[in-house]
Amino acid sequence: MTTTRKQTDLMMVVTSDIAGQLRGKAIPLKNRQARERIGVGWTPTNTFITSFGPIADSPWGALGDLMLRPDMSTLVDLELPDYGVDECFALGNVFTLGGERWECCLRGQLMSAIERLRERHGLVLTVAFEHEFHFSGCEEQPGFGYALRAMRRLGNFPDRLMDVLDRAGLALDTFMPEFGPGQCEVTIGPQSALRAADEAIMLRELTRSVARGLDATASFAPILDPSGVGNGVHVHFSLQDVDGGQVNFDGGRTDGVSESAGSFVAGILKYMPALIALTASSVSSYMRLTPHRWSAAFNNFGRQDREAAVRICPVFRESADEDVSDKFHFEYRAADAAVSPYLLLAALINAGLSGLDEKLSTPQTTHGDLTTWDDAALAARNIARLPTNLPSALDFLQESAWARVAFGETLVDAFVRHKRCEVEIMDGLTDEEICRKYAQAY
Ligand code: GLU
Ligand code: MG
């Protein structure tokens, strides 16, 4: 990245927090090296700043100090006056003054989960994200899902966005004029879990920045209209051994799911009632997680099923005799962009890790519409309707011994307190009003 910045120009050092926002402090570029070592001062209660103004009830009040240190490998430095884009920020980690990872640092939580998966099972997770969002700068037209005419109406936006993402070092994959009016989707190539989460943040911020350069906005809110389509964050994932060898696929087993991949997926599904608050963490998320919206409403495993919580994705062969085991992977569909991608991936890894520790057996895939199954049929397969609102998802999380061990008491309590305040803020509003508030916040 080359820019013509002055040494007094500012770089934001930011942390991705419980609200799913990026917050931090700016430093002049000339102080960059020193700040890389000492960071900038940070305050525990900042993690209670909601996306809507009020600060949730913080156990720390005005007390305490932390250090927010930039990881300069995440620097985004782009000055593109023709596009109205001027971004200079680096993602960081929050440490205690004693130099320990702070429990509420979500990037640190993901790093710890990645380390545990490697240490305990010799495995690493590779991830690719699909991002859906609504772009305000085009004339909306129902019925133009995937249409060339929708693409034309988006004007300069898609090409500018691809240019900016490419300059930021992201591996371009596809852009889609998605089904909803004004809805778009961008997919980015696979990366290690940490880098994929860093890039998910970069992608959202750069999309907002490019939209702003066109006097428009981009909203990644989970759903903009209670009767419309949702904006999902679909997480494609596969497991490798530490040398990069695939361990996902086993042609001798049902659906080709290897024993370890089966345990990992089983862990995600088992702990989904508790982890769903961490992957779908807004009040409006639960308007999206309803049946027949191509999101997910049950903790089921499906093959090429776009309403399964975790689905086995198709593999595209280049030739009939190609070994496709490297391409074989899964997709988690019950996530949205109201949550930090670090917390989202930490939740999936921690749950998958428990599945491996407990040696859970591979779940059977379901076929067809689960809303037509009765309770006994669902229970026989350990399938449950996911919590249908944020308060009930928070109850599951609060009571979960698994979550308290995986993330620590401090984070679980902070998360639940923060999100209960958000629930109170939305109390008494209509679904339409709630969607509007989230559309502005995300
Ligand atoms: N928009 C849907 C969602 O909320 C997903 C549609 C698709 O399969 O891409 O997740
Ligand atoms: Mg899509």
Side-chain angles (χ1 to χ4, degrees):
M1 284 177 249
T2 47
T3 57
T4 53
R5 296 198 190 279
K6 300 192 295 296
Q7 284 302 299
T8 51
D9 284 352
L10 293 169
M11 174 186 98
M12 273 291 268
V13 182
V14 289
T15 174
S16 167
D17 67 8
I18 288 177
Q21 302 291 347
L22 285 185
R23 304 184 206 270
K25 295 184 179 175
I27 54 159
L29 282 170
K30 65 177 175 186
N31 296 351
R32 199 175 109 169
Q33 261 119 18
R35 292 293 182 179
E36 223 178 316
R37 297 190 299 275
I38 60 168
V40 294
W42 200 239
T43 308
T45 289
N46 287 353
T47 203
F48 287 95
I49 305 175
T50 67
S51 291
F52 306 96
I55 302 184
D57 177 29
S58 161
W60 300 299
L63 300 176
D65 285 289
L66 300 161
M67 292 183 293
L68 168 55
R69 264 197 224 135
D71 174 343
M72 294 309 288
S73 73
T74 68
L75 176 68
V76 172
D77 184 2
L78 290 170
E79 230 185 343
L80 301 163
D82 291 351
Y83 294 175
V85 167
D86 184 358
E87 296 291 330
C88 187
F89 64 88
L91 306 171
N93 285 53
V94 184
F95 297 91
T96 65
L97 296 188
E100 310 268 299
R101 277 180 196 157
W102 185 46
E103 294 100 310
C104 294
C105 171
L106 305 180
R107 193 166 190 263
Q109 283 276 353
L110 176 57
M111 290 164 81
S112 300
I114 290 169
E115 287 160 9
R116 286 193 290 269
L117 182 63
R118 195 187 179 97
E119 280 157 19
R120 298 224 286 265
H121 296 278
L123 295 173
V124 292
L125 195 74
T126 296
V127 173
F129 278 95
E130 291 180 23
H131 302 271
E132 292 178 335
F133 60 93
H134 278 76
F135 175 65
S136 74
C138 68
E139 205 185 326
E140 294 184 2
Q141 171 90 26
F144 274 13
Y146 294 103
L148 179 61
R149 291 170 68 186
M151 194 67 180
R152 194 174 297 126
R153 286 177 181 211
L154 289 165
N156 288 339
F157 173 67
D159 286 343
R160 283 191 183 188
L161 180 58
M162 290 300 113
D163 185 19
V164 166
L165 296 177
D166 187 52
R167 287 171 191 256
L170 277 59
L172 304 184
D173 186 47
T174 50
F175 179 98
M176 281 158 264
E178 248 282 6
F179 175 71
Q183 194 182 29
C184 303
E185 177 175 326
V186 177
T187 60
I188 293 297
Q191 287 286 359
S192 72
L194 184 65
R195 180 69 195 175
D198 289 338
E199 290 189 352
I201 290 173
M202 294 174 195
L203 181 137
R204 287 175 202 164
E205 295 309 318
L206 293 174
T207 303
R208 292 184 175 113
S209 185
V210 172
R212 193 183 156 90
L214 291 163
D215 295 320
T217 56
S219 179
F220 291 79
I223 189 162
L224 273 74
D225 163 5
S227 60
V229 296
N231 284 325
V233 170
H234 301 166
V235 185
H236 291 254
F237 64 91
S238 61
L239 290 166
Q240 284 78 40
D241 63 28
V242 286
D243 301 316
Q246 79 82 20
V247 294
N248 247 10
F249 183 76
D250 180 345
R253 287 171 46 93
T254 313
D255 296 317
V257 181
S258 74
E259 200 176 340
S260 49
S263 294
F264 191 88
V265 170
I268 293 175
L269 300 181
K270 174 176 172 180
Y271 292 108
M272 245 186 119
L275 76 74
I276 192 76
L278 303 174
T279 72
S281 64
S282 77
V283 173
S284 66
S285 299
Y286 296 82
M287 299 179 205
R288 170 178 169 259
L289 294 181
T290 49
H292 311 137
R293 276 180 190 277
W294 290 29
S295 58
F298 296 87
N299 61 341
N300 64 316
F301 190 35
R303 190 153 38 88
Q304 298 171 23
D305 173 355
R306 288 186 182 74
E307 293 209 7
V310 178
R311 78 169 181 138
I312 303 173
C313 294
V315 282
F316 301 116
R317 285 174 199 276
E318 284 165 53
S319 63
D321 56 355
E322 186 190 351
D323 173 7
V324 287
S325 51
D326 275 345
K327 294 182 175 173
F328 185 77
H329 71 277
F330 309 100
E331 177 188 27
Y332 178 82
R333 295 181 63 89
D336 61 54
V339 71
S340 164
Y342 299 127
L343 188 54
L344 159 58
L345 293 189
L348 297 183
I349 293 177
N350 283 333
L353 191 58
S354 295
L356 288 161
D357 289 345
E358 296 168 36
K359 297 190 167 40
L360 297 181
S361 49
T362 306
Q364 261 182 285
T365 50
T366 60
H367 299 279
D369 180 356
L370 294 194
T371 61
T372 64
W373 292 27
D374 61 25
D375 290 348
L378 292 170
R381 299 275 294 271
N382 282 326
I383 296 171
R385 175 73 173 91
L386 295 171
T388 56
N389 53 58
L390 183 59
S392 119
L394 292 172
D395 290 344
F396 277 103
L397 178 64
Q398 188 162 15
E399 297 306 315
S400 166
W402 162 77
R404 289 184 178 279
V405 171
F407 298 94
E409 301 281 349
T410 309
L411 179 68
V412 172
D413 287 339
F415 186 88
V416 170
R417 270 186 196 228
H418 180 127
K419 288 291 164 177
R420 291 222 193 270
C421 173
E422 194 170 309
V423 170
E424 273 172 38
I425 293 169
M426 300 301 151
D427 194 34
L429 301 183
T430 64
D431 285 354
E432 286 74 13
E433 289 166 338
I434 291 172
C435 285
R436 270 201 295 281
K437 272 188 168 291
Y438 280 102
Q440 285 162 0
Y442 297 98

